[in-house]
Amino acid sequence: MTATHDRTDSSTATPSNPFAGAQRAATEATTAAFGGIVTGWIDALRPFAAASPVASAWLDEWKRAGERAAAWPKVAEIVGKRTPWATPHDVIATEGPTRLIRFRGAEIGSSVRRTVPLLMVFALVNRPYILDLLPHKSVVRQYLRAGFDVWMVDWGVPTAAESTKTLHDYIEGTLHRLVRRVLDVTGQPQLDLFGYCMGGTMTAMYTSLHQELVRNLTLLAAPVDWARGDCLLKTWTQETVFDVDAVVDAFPLVPSGYLGTSFNLLKPVDNNFRKWMGFAEKMTDEKFLEEFVAMEGWVNDNIPISGAVYRDFVKFGLQRSLLAKGEFPLGPHRIDLGRITCPVLNLVAESDHLVPREQSDPVDRLVGSSDTATRSLRAGHIGLAVSGRAHQEFWPSAAAWLLER
Amino acid sequence: MTTPNQQNPADAMLSFWKDAWARMGVGAAPAGAPVGTGPAASPFPGASGADPMAWMPSPEMVRRMQAAFLDAMASSAEQYMRSPQFLESVRHSIESATEMRRQMEELVRRNMGDAMKPPGQAGAEVLAALTEIESRLSARLDQLEALLRSRGAGSGQGRPADSAGSDAATAPDGAPRPRRTGRGRDA
């Protein structure tokens, strides 16, 4: 049994307000009147400023400020309309909070031309709809348009019941069962795996254990060698500074606020000042507003993570970099990326402040495959998924690479 | 005298402002000239002589100064967040947070335990009520025993049938009955 989801039945849909129309009309009238008054004053002052380019420039600036003030109702309207998924999809299976999603390509006018299913796996620390943020900024749609049958694992929001769930439980348990489910439903012997960030590391681990089920592996900003590169996250989690055991003992479910604050602090000036100044500058542009609101919604939609997984990632990844040494413990296994023999596409961002590309680059050296490729983009960690440049060339090229295999 | 780990806070502040002013191009302005009027900085080259408002920085200049200030701030923040002082404060914050969490859990556990058991006065009252009930039951049993004895004596049958088993009581099926262990108050 499957549940269907289109863009309007999302979890963020707001309850209907019978006075919404009247409220909006009143707000629009007030702001339009305010904008009119500001513009009128500025036009009245303009003859006095004609002799001074500086004064004229300031009048233009104030006029723009008036226009921006008048744009607030539009901002509120776009915030109210925000939906997290851009593409209609069906929920094929659930396991606790985890959902297995299959996208309906036919509804965006694409047809499946490649029978091998593509399963996307996102990190456990954020929501996966960043890969399907807006119709024109959707990695999912890029692959659908290229003819893929696209599936995704939405890990969901873990509860206290998941606080002891280990990385082994997630990879060898949930992910393996969902992979089996995809293969059962499609009748295929293998699938293509796609992992983003921590999800990339997890898919690489999975592939090393179940190479027979994976036809191709695409990694997007996936760290595999934390000993390389320089980033604040690594500095903050040094063993001498950060006692991950104490944190996890105190917070078995690592709170979303803690993770969100950490990510925010990686670029405090950009995230807390520049971003909002840019917003104020461009808020009269409706397209910009739509993208900004969608992005802000995602950035602030942090979720908690199981303490056991957090401990494994920090201790064996960030602090000791055991994956690159072939010693990362996963239940009874030691992960050896050399057992990956399928084609691997490694996609990296050149200005990634979260996962410096130096941490992802060693993939082609560590895997046992002879068919590897690395593509880079001048973007940041999230820009890889949502930047305009990425959607113009980068993603069509990544999809083409996969289609050839 | 400071060690690398005990940097004078004033140095960091001074360094930030020097960096910010350098990025804003203030150094390019002639000595004594107002901010933003340096030849490289003016957004209206050649116009300053004729413009009565030339003393005022233009919006573009303000924007550039703002951007330069934020660049300097970002660079300082990055530097600070890698400093031993910041890392030490992170360590302390985490220790405090985990300790606070531990104490809160301890408090909740203790309060939960207290909530589950009755307070001291109520306990004494419950015990007194139980003892009172027990006394009344025992007195009633004594009355019944005496009544049976008197009836047995009146009919010439001696001891009542069940009183023989009062010390080694057995049920009709032979299973031992629960023994009454006392009468009245034990204490």
Side-chain angles (χ1 to χ4, degrees), chain B residues 76-182:
Chain B
S76 291
E78 171 95 16
Q79 230 173 333
Y80 173 63
M81 287 191 298
R82 291 175 185 278
S83 68
Q85 290 91 339
F86 179 78
L87 296 180
E88 188 60 20
S89 72
V90 167
R91 204 171 59 78
H92 276 299
S93 309
I94 289 169
E95 278 174 10
S96 307
T98 51
E99 179 59 20
M100 198 173 91
R101 172 83 174 197
R102 194 191 61 74
Q103 287 182 5
M104 272 183 66
E105 278 183 357
E106 179 63 31
L107 186 73
V108 169
R109 194 165 45 239
R110 201 179 307 143
N111 286 345
M112 285 287 284
D114 287 347
M116 298 294 280
K117 69 181 179 198
Q121 183 60 30
E125 283 170 9
V126 170
L127 193 63
L130 285 173
T131 312
E132 175 63 23
I133 292 167
E134 190 187 16
S135 311
R136 283 163 57 192
L137 282 173
S138 297
R140 183 69 180 141
L141 283 170
D142 286 343
Q143 284 174 2
L144 287 172
E145 195 175 4
L147 183 66
L148 286 171
R149 198 172 290 130
S150 66
R151 287 197 175 167
S155 63
Q157 291 178 351
R159 297 175 73 188
D162 67 342
S163 68
S166 63
D167 291 330
T170 51
D173 59 359
R177 282 181 183 161
R179 181 184 289 272
R180 270 198 297 133
T181 54

Side-chain angles (χ1 to χ4, degrees), chain A residues 337-391:
Chain A
L337 295 181
R339 297 178 67 172
I340 298 176
T341 52
C342 65
V344 179
L345 176 62
N346 190 24
L347 304 170
V348 296
E350 287 173 16
S351 316
D352 198 328
H353 67 291
L354 202 62
V355 181
R357 69 170 293 177
E358 292 86 354
Q359 293 183 358
S360 307
D361 278 340
V363 162
D364 57 358
R365 174 173 58 80
L366 294 171
V367 297
S369 169
S370 54
D371 183 3
T372 63
T374 299
R375 306 261 163 91
S376 68
L377 181 74
R378 274 181 56 202
H381 190 72
I382 306 301
L384 270 180
V386 297
S387 75
R389 198 182 298 134
H391 283 277

Side-chain angles (χ1 to χ4, degrees), chain A residues 52-53 58 61 250 265 274 277, chain B residues 51 57 63 66 71 81 101:
Chain A
S52 166
W58 274 112
E61 189 68 14
L265 276 180
R274 270 213 186 95
M277 287 161 62
Chain B
D51 190 343
R63 220 168 272 131
Q66 211 173 45
D71 283 345
M81 287 191 298
R101 172 83 174 197

Side-chain angles (χ1 to χ4, degrees), chain A residues 51-62:
Chain A
S52 166
V54 174
S56 295
W58 274 112
L59 285 181
D60 290 343
E61 189 68 14
W62 292 338

Side-chain angles (χ1 to χ4, degrees), chain A residues 72 74-76 78-79 82-83 129-130 133-134 136-137 270-301 382 386:
Chain A
W72 274 108
K74 182 55 79 180
V75 177
I78 289 176
V79 170
R82 185 184 87 85
T83 52
Y129 60 82
I130 187 69
L133 195 64
L134 290 166
H136 61 287
K137 298 220 164 185
D270 285 357
N271 292 333
N272 300 299
F273 296 96
R274 270 213 186 95
K275 178 175 72 182
W276 294 106
M277 287 161 62
F279 166 73
E281 281 288 318
K282 297 181 194 164
M283 62 185 278
T284 49
D285 177 349
E286 203 168 316
K287 187 163 180 274
F288 165 81
L289 264 185
E290 192 191 3
E291 291 172 4
F292 183 87
V293 167
M295 196 62 213
E296 271 307 287
W298 179 80
V299 165
N300 292 299
D301 196 1
I382 306 301
V386 297

